[in-house]
Amino acid sequence: MHRILQIRRLPLGKRGRQRHNRRVRGDSVYLAARFARQAELRDIAEELEYAGAYVTSRWLHSAGPLDGPELNGGARGAKLATMDFEDVAAATVCIAFTEGGDGPSGR
């Protein structure tokens, strides 16, 4: 079975944790989503770590989203971009939490 499907099927919550932890034990996982979902993904990261995975997504502990000036060459923006790149490179698995979009550049 494909590795991403094994992680996707990991049950969240207390039931079934011990039975399924062999599927992610030792994997390093990067969780990708929009910043507004940070709290939700922190919970998912905690479940994956409990199951034996190492979550590389340091953005889950960032203070807040970037504002306009920081996106246009600001020092904090460059630092966070480098951090994200390093975290993705360190992961053996990347899980992207995408959402449907109604606009022309929907996800």
Side-chain angles (χ1 to χ4, degrees):
M1 179 178 285
H2 192 271
R3 173 72 62 196
I4 196 78
L5 294 178
Q6 289 176 347
I7 292 173
R8 183 176 282 165
R9 291 183 181 163
L10 179 71
L12 299 179
K14 294 183 179 179
R15 292 178 296 184
R17 282 182 178 161
Q18 295 301 319
R19 189 180 73 210
H20 293 281
N21 66 2
R22 69 185 179 280
R23 293 183 177 170
V24 295
R25 185 172 305 284
D27 282 330
S28 55
V29 180
Y30 182 83
L31 302 176
R34 61 189 175 93
F35 195 86
R37 296 180 71 177
Q38 183 187 40
E40 174 189 359
L41 267 66
R42 280 184 190 155
D43 291 340
I44 292 170
E46 183 179 313
E47 293 290 333
L48 287 168
E49 288 171 342
Y50 184 86
Y54 174 72
V55 177
T56 64
S57 309
R58 290 181 282 174
W59 72 271
L60 295 175
H61 307 289
S62 294
L66 296 171
D67 60 14
E70 292 175 314
L71 291 173
N72 295 321
R76 181 171 175 248
K79 182 178 176 182
L80 291 177
T82 300
M83 179 187 75
D84 286 341
F85 182 78
E86 292 169 352
D87 291 352
V88 171
T92 56
V93 177
C94 179
I95 303 173
F97 293 81
T98 61
E99 302 168 28
D102 296 330
S105 60
R107 297 176 192 216

